[in-house]
Amino acid sequence: MKGVDEKLAPMIAEVLSRNAGEGEFHQAVQEVLDSLTRVIAKRPDYLNDALLERICEPERQIIFRVPWIDDKGQVQVNRGFRVQFNSALGPYKGGIRFHPSVTLGTIKFLGFEQTFKNALTGMPIGGGKGGSDFNPRGRSNGEIMRFCQSFMTELHRHLGEYTDVPAGDIGVGGREIGYMFGQYKRLTNRYEAGVLTGKALVYGGSRARTEATGYGAVYFVERMLQSRGDSVEGKRVVVSGSGNVAIYTIEKIREFGGIVVACSDSNGFVVDEAGIDLDLVKDIKEVRRARIAEYAEIKKSARYVERGHGSIWDVPCQIAMPSATQNELTDKGARSLVANGVLVVGEGANMPSTPEAVRVFKEAGVLFAPGKAANAGGVATSALEMQQNASRDSWTFEQTETRLASIMRNIHDTCAQTAEEYGEPGDYVLGANIAGFVRVAEAMRALGVI
Ligand code: GLU
């Protein structure tokens, strides 16, 4: 094994130095390459033809200016990104994130993760990601629309249903997808429904796409527990976040008989021992676009803890589902969860646990589902949306959800079997990284030096 590490170490060093300062990208690459030690030991041919170096290098990176005019008539300027990471398995596919923290490194890490996640779904989709440092918080509907239109005015030339198919991510939901689709249609004079996913039902969206990431994460966790003769039923659950992923995670956990006692936003978290009232969260977040603090003002059974005055990971639970953002769950949080008896951690967000936190869970024997496997239900259902668009068809909710559930079962079983095959039963991180990698690597090899 040492020999392999020695061969991989300079490769990792090279990736780190040529992508200087992109910490999140380093973290994502490091984790995947660490897992590959075991693959290379069995299959040293994967070291040939700079295959690993090519996999770590995006096929194309687009950075552009996004000028727009705010409600006061002032000109604003933001930066737009699209990283087209890998198209060996299909058109680039992955969401767009609008958040002030977005940098090129953020989008690269997300695009890299997306490539393996998409491979795990078994659907014909490559990996990509986009976004902007635009902050949608407090912006009017008109400002959001003008921003989306300006963003798409540049991005449209790089997209296409056979080229690159974006969707939503943090800060980008159905409203933003609608504005971007409208501008794409106008600029290209083509009703190309399959160029974006996460569309509203009325113009080519898929049933169950809105729910898919959260539902899928819960299906994954349920399958994990089932494989150990247990289930979600009766379990106490903490879900961080209160956006699209968190909301539909809470919904499915409740359907499976679990009790969600806490959720959060970037300002703080709420604990409601009576069980989180999902209709209220939906009203606060999806309708009024307000802060989660309002939950505790309305619900007397709840308490609100402001950011900096406590951690959601100190709330005792058996299942934790980090569903907010990257690196939100550190080793401190992980130790607290373990001390309080957590059994399962299912990542709804992309890379929400730091590498140190993952180590804490591993050492404690906690069942850990990494985001690139557990949250793949969103993009998998995007691929189902593309399928419906290509055939000009529209499936029922039940039909779509049944497909989603079976995809999640397959992803779970693939990760579990791969981990076992490589001598680490129960290590879903290893299983996901290896299974995703092998699929991408095999396709790349079949296509020649690309
Ligand atoms: N942003 C989601 C993700 O992280 C969905 C991407 C998509 O549907 O293309 O997987």
Side-chain angles (χ1 to χ4, degrees):
M1 203 64 90
K2 194 157 180 278
V4 174
D5 283 338
E6 273 161 15
K7 282 179 193 143
L8 281 174
M11 204 172 290
I12 296 177
E14 167 80 11
V15 173
L16 303 200
S17 77
R18 80 193 311 191
N19 299 285
E22 297 174 347
E24 291 157 339
F25 182 52
H26 297 174
Q27 186 182 328
V29 170
Q30 184 101 46
E31 188 207 277
V32 171
L33 292 185
D34 281 351
S35 297
L36 294 189
T37 313
R38 282 169 192 274
V39 186
I40 306 296
K42 273 197 186 180
R43 294 280 308 272
D45 54 302
Y46 280 137
L47 286 173
N48 297 346
D49 303 326
L51 180 68
L52 297 181
E53 289 88 336
R54 282 186 283 139
I55 278 191
C56 294
E57 184 68 18
E59 286 178 21
R60 191 175 297 108
Q61 307 183 58
I62 303 144
I63 307 179
F64 51 99
R65 177 167 67 203
V66 189
W68 58 283
I69 298 175
D70 68 17
D71 285 348
K72 294 191 193 106
Q74 303 280 322
V75 176
Q76 302 280 344
V77 61
N78 285 95
R79 187 172 289 175
F81 304 95
R82 186 74 183 165
V83 174
Q84 300 180 328
F85 221 106
N86 196 302
S87 62
L89 290 171
Y92 309 107
K93 182 82 198 84
I96 289 175
R97 176 177 294 192
F98 291 164
H99 193 271
S101 67
V102 163
T103 63
L104 179 61
T106 316
I107 302 299
K108 275 164 78 174
F109 118 66
L110 289 164
F112 184 77
E113 291 281 293
Q114 196 83 45
T115 300
F116 301 106
K117 181 199 306 195
N118 294 3
L120 276 175
T121 66
M123 311 294 285
I125 41 178
K129 204 85 185 191
S132 173
D133 58 1
F134 170 68
N135 186 359
R137 173 100 48 96
R139 290 296 177 188
S140 70
N141 211 33
E143 290 177 318
I144 299 283
M145 183 180 74
R146 290 194 297 280
F147 179 81
C148 289
Q149 289 176 337
S150 180
F151 186 84
M152 189 50 90
T153 298
E154 173 57 34
L155 190 62
H156 84 280
R157 70 190 86 249
H158 306 289
L159 306 182
E161 63 176 314
Y162 296 106
T163 307
D164 185 351
V165 182
D169 195 81
I170 293 170
V172 177
R175 173 181 60 168
E176 291 74 17
I177 292 293
Y179 294 150
M180 286 193 263
F181 185 76
Q183 185 73 350
Y184 182 87
K185 186 174 78 61
R186 206 171 157 203
L187 289 163
T188 58
N189 194 30
R190 280 164 64 86
Y191 204 108
E192 197 182 327
V195 73
L196 287 172
T197 61
K199 301 181 293 295
L201 282 182
V202 70
Y203 69 95
S206 171
R207 290 187 178 80
R209 174 62 190 91
T210 309
E211 295 83 354
T213 312
Y215 278 21
V218 179
Y219 278 122
F220 194 99
V221 164
E222 176 72 354
R223 183 79 171 173
M224 261 175 141
L225 282 164
Q226 268 177 2
S227 68
R228 277 122 183 124
D230 203 347
S231 77
V232 166
E233 198 175 346
K235 300 274 187 304
R236 238 179 103 90
V237 186
V238 164
V239 178
S240 65
S242 49
N244 169 269
V245 181
I247 284 175
Y248 295 98
T249 294
I250 298 172
E251 192 161 285
K252 201 41 121 188
I253 288 278
R254 280 186 3 175
E255 229 179 280
F256 281 2
I259 309 128
V260 180
V261 292
C263 67
S264 64
D265 65 15
S266 55
N267 289 11
F269 66 94
V270 284
V271 184
D272 189 345
E273 291 294 339
I276 291 291
D277 178 341
L278 190 57
D279 290 335
L280 181 54
V281 176
K282 281 186 182 175
D283 183 55
I284 294 171
K285 287 290 162 180
E286 290 183 337
V287 183
R288 290 191 281 125
R289 299 181 191 271
R291 308 308 299 167
I292 203 69
E294 286 188 19
Y295 183 102
E297 286 161 23
I298 296 163
K299 270 255 142 140
K300 290 302 156 216
S301 54
R303 68 187 163 89
Y304 175 67
V305 182
E306 214 175 278
R307 191 193 167 107
H309 292 84
S311 162
I312 191 168
W313 309 121
D314 292 339
V315 179
C317 63
Q318 292 152 302
I319 301 175
M321 308 227 22
S323 308
T325 195
Q326 67 269 17
N327 292 329
E328 57 166 308
L329 173 47
T330 63
D331 51 336
K332 188 161 176 268
R335 278 195 295 273
S336 188
L337 283 168
V338 168
N340 286 322
V342 76
L343 301 170
V344 183
V345 175
E347 292 190 327
N350 290 311
M351 209 171 74
S353 311
T354 62
E356 297 76 28
V358 178
R359 220 166 294 138
V360 171
F361 294 135
K362 195 173 174 186
E363 277 160 20
V366 171
L367 284 177
F368 179 77
K372 66 168 76 71
N375 76 30
V379 75
T381 309
S382 277
L384 300 179
E385 183 172 333
M386 291 163 75
Q387 201 174 324
Q388 290 168 77
N389 295 150
S391 58
R392 301 186 188 278
D393 198 359
S394 169
W395 306 346
T396 64
F397 194 97
E398 205 194 346
Q399 191 181 355
T400 319
E401 199 189 350
T402 304
R403 285 285 302 270
L404 166 65
S406 109
I407 291 168
M408 295 315 295
R409 270 198 304 277
N410 280 334
I411 297 175
H412 171 277
D413 296 356
T414 302
C415 294
Q417 282 154 16
T418 308
E420 206 161 308
E421 194 184 321
Y422 284 88
E424 289 284 341
D427 188 338
Y428 288 86
V429 173
L430 193 84
N433 286 338
I434 294 181
F437 165 79
V438 168
R439 194 154 185 244
V440 176
E442 288 299 324
M444 282 181 75
R445 287 233 292 220
L447 299 179
V449 176
I450 56 156

